[in-house]
Amino acid sequence: MSKAQRFARNVGWNALGQIGIFAINLLTIPYLVRSMGIETYGLYILMHAATSYLLLLALGGGGATVKFTAEFAGAGDGRRLGQALEYGAAFHGLGVLAGAAVLALAAPLLARGLFNIPLEMQPAAVFVLRCAAAAAVFAALCQFGFSALQGLQRFDWQNMLALSLNAAIPLGAAGMFAAGHGLRAAGVWYAAANAAGCLLILLAVFRLARRLPAARGQGDLSLRSFALYSLSLALGPVAWIVTFQCDKLFIANALPLSELTLYAVPAGLLQRLQVLPAVISTTLIPMMSELSGPQTQAALTRMYLKATRVVLWAVLPALVLFFALMPQLLTLWLGPEFGLRSVWPARLLVMSQAFFLLTFIPNSVAAGRGKPWYLSAAAWGQAAVSVLAWWWLIPRYSILGAALGSLLAQALPAVFYLRAVHKNILRLSWPDFLEGGLYAPLTSAAVLLAVVFPAHAWASSWPRLLALSGAGCALYYGSTWLLLDGDEREVVLKLMRWQRPGEAA
């Protein structure tokens, strides 16, 4: 299989897995919210959030596991592959185990103090936090297994197992409530599903790893080499968790649990839109790294502007439709309380995602041209603005303040980040960026918004909502076609045209 075919296969499996997870959550969340009630569902969200916080204690072990597993598997070196897997499992397991023990012991104090859980709900809160602690240990080993499968280039297994685990958790919780059990049973299921998933994933890794010969390469992989690489990656995920997960902690501390549910459910839906631009951005890094010669600057700028247009054309229609149709979508999906109270926080989060979208291709440029610290500076800028904004705004404006804080955290750093990449790497002026990268996609988005927003009240049922969304997408991509230049139209036509092997283009 060629590199291009392998890349296409891996991207396809990633997309399929994410679509499956998105569909399952879309179907199960309304049932769980209705079964638990908005306030109790806030505890369910808190359980998942606590597990994600503990996974930070893997200290970058996931990236190191992918790197060294891929290196030694590609070389057929089974002995050093085994060493990489041992270190990876240790990095994922030991730190999270220690953090889980602390969380389990401190759960009563956290429920009373940090999260301000109402007195009558504190016993349930303590129980689910301890379930989160137990689940985190197994989830960390699941994360290790997924990293190993990525390094072994088995994205099919990784995505099938990830889809199975991410389906089992909400479906099992729904089954518990359907059988008449409550939140405690859902918490036990959460820990048990992660334990079962951990067993299956580790068995898959063991089966693949044992196929390689036991000894091949020279020397050993030292713990120091693994640890240095792992720790160099540790701060990036921390910034990401602060920016995209710690809003829940601030809300749980300052507001009732019902507010956490009203905010976190739409926020989780919108974060799924990050998958496609992340895949495109990652793909571009090696392409930008290999550019050389006298025309490098021009080629890099041209690639950057085209990639920016592609990412915007791919994701902007979804963002525009979410912004315009948010009242109808939330009401139909989750009920009238969401359609009344979550609309403008969700719309501000849509705007936040739009600014975040502008940073994916600059990330590719900075990483591909040897300036990875640009990514870290941008990520920590977002995290710092997030924390300050949430601390100031949430007590004053509730979940609208949380969403406004997220918007500020994306908009302000994005302006400085784009300026740094444009000036220091691309030598690109703002007028050229606006004309070559933003003008055409934003024009199509403006046309879509001008047509759909005035008609959004008409979309009062699922058939109407889907019909208006479909008509809007047709209008968007129709206007996009008119704005494409000749070369871009030819590329699209070649991609759409069916050709047999050996047939002339």
Side-chain angles (χ1 to χ4, degrees):
M1 181 182 293
S2 69
K3 288 184 178 180
Q5 289 173 320
R6 185 167 67 245
F7 169 77
R9 183 197 67 177
N10 292 343
V11 170
W13 277 111
N14 280 330
L16 182 63
Q18 291 297 326
I19 290 170
I21 293 169
F22 179 83
I24 289 164
N25 280 282
L26 199 67
L27 293 172
T28 56
I29 286 175
Y31 177 79
L32 289 173
V33 171
R34 288 195 298 269
S35 299
M36 297 184 192
I38 291 178
E39 194 168 42
T40 301
Y41 191 78
L43 283 181
Y44 185 73
I45 292 172
L46 200 59
M47 177 176 68
H48 285 262
T51 297
S52 69
Y53 299 148
L54 288 176
L55 292 181
L56 289 174
L57 297 175
L59 299 176
T65 301
V66 173
K67 191 264 185 190
F68 289 109
T69 300
E71 179 180 335
F72 298 136
D77 187 348
R79 183 168 58 85
R80 286 195 291 178
L81 172 63
Q83 292 171 341
L85 294 176
E86 289 174 5
Y87 295 149
F91 260 71
H92 281 85
L94 296 179
V96 176
L97 179 62
V102 172
L103 175 60
L105 291 173
L109 178 63
L110 293 174
R112 289 193 307 270
L114 181 62
F115 299 125
N116 290 324
I117 305 298
L119 183 63
E120 66 277 9
M121 298 184 71
Q122 285 183 15
V126 170
F127 187 85
V128 297
L129 286 174
R130 286 173 172 164
C131 288
V137 177
F138 299 113
L141 293 175
C142 289
Q143 183 174 278
F144 155 71
F146 290 145
S147 299
L149 290 172
Q150 290 177 35
L152 293 167
Q153 296 292 309
R154 292 311 304 258
F155 287 83
D156 49 352
W157 286 28
Q158 184 243 320
N159 279 283
M160 284 190 292
L161 288 166
L163 178 59
S164 299
L165 177 59
N166 283 282
I169 290 171
L171 290 174
M176 291 295 176
F177 277 89
H181 305 296
L183 179 63
R184 290 172 181 261
V188 172
W189 173 260
Y190 178 58
N194 276 286
C198 170
L199 178 62
L200 289 174
I201 294 161
L202 295 182
L203 285 174
V205 172
F206 176 76
R207 180 179 175 184
L208 291 171
R210 67 185 300 207
R211 295 178 182 176
L212 293 177
R216 175 74 177 271
Q218 298 288 327
D220 294 320
L221 170 65
S222 68
L223 175 60
R224 182 176 183 274
S225 297
F226 188 97
L228 287 175
Y229 190 90
S230 177
L231 293 174
S232 71
L233 302 174
L235 292 179
V238 173
W240 192 94
I241 288 289
V242 170
T243 303
F244 293 104
Q245 292 293 332
C246 281
D247 48 357
K248 301 177 183 65
L249 191 154
F250 278 85
I251 293 171
N253 176 261
L255 303 173
L257 284 171
S258 58
E259 299 295 299
L260 175 61
T261 300
L262 291 167
Y263 174 88
V265 174
L269 176 69
L270 292 170
Q271 284 179 13
R272 294 288 178 187
L273 297 176
Q274 298 173 8
V275 174
L276 180 58
V279 169
I280 296 173
S281 173
T282 303
T283 306
L284 285 171
I285 293 174
M287 297 173 64
M288 291 182 171
S289 299
E290 66 188 15
L291 290 175
S292 61
Q295 299 300 317
T296 295
Q297 197 69 47
L300 182 64
T301 301
R302 188 163 54 249
M303 185 185 297
Y304 171 75
L305 293 175
K306 285 191 175 183
T308 298
R309 293 197 299 271
V310 168
V311 166
L312 292 175
W313 271 325
V315 183
L316 270 182
L319 291 176
V320 172
L321 290 172
F322 274 127
F323 184 89
L325 301 174
M326 191 62 74
Q328 289 68 37
L329 173 64
L330 291 178
T331 300
L332 292 170
W333 184 37
L334 297 166
E337 189 166 4
F338 282 86
L340 179 65
R341 297 174 58 191
S342 299
V343 170
W344 276 106
R347 280 176 166 164
L348 291 180
L349 289 175
V350 170
M351 296 168 64
S352 171
Q353 289 291 324
F355 280 101
F356 188 49
L357 192 61
L358 293 175
T359 65
F360 281 93
I361 306 305
N363 287 345
S364 301
V365 175
R369 304 310 295 179
K371 297 185 183 294
W373 55 89
Y374 277 40
L375 282 72
S376 298
W380 279 102
Q382 293 165 348
V385 176
S386 296
V387 170
L388 291 173
W390 292 330
W391 171 76
W392 176 260
L393 293 170
I394 288 176
R396 291 164 174 78
Y397 303 106
S398 187
I399 59 174
L400 187 66
L404 180 57
S406 295
L407 174 57
L408 293 173
Q410 296 303 326
L412 296 179
V415 173
F416 293 99
Y417 185 42
L418 288 172
R419 183 179 183 276
V421 171
H422 291 174
K423 179 181 179 181
N424 299 330
I425 304 177
L426 295 170
R427 308 292 190 266
L428 180 67
S429 68
W430 281 111
D432 288 340
F433 175 62
L434 294 172
E435 180 181 356
L438 300 186
Y439 171 73
L442 292 184
T443 299
S444 296
V447 171
L448 175 59
L449 183 63
V451 171
V452 174
F453 192 80
H456 75 278
W458 177 81
S460 56
S461 65
W462 281 114
R464 289 187 175 190
L465 181 71
L466 295 174
L468 185 57
S469 299
C473 285
L475 176 66
Y476 179 89
Y477 287 110
S479 64
T480 295
W481 180 259
L482 296 176
L483 293 167
L484 292 175
D485 60 34
D487 290 341
E488 290 170 331
R489 290 186 187 181
E490 184 62 27
V491 170
V492 173
L493 289 173
K494 285 183 178 180
L495 291 173
M496 296 175 61
R497 189 183 302 134
W498 169 258
Q499 293 179 334
R500 295 181 177 84
E503 189 175 278

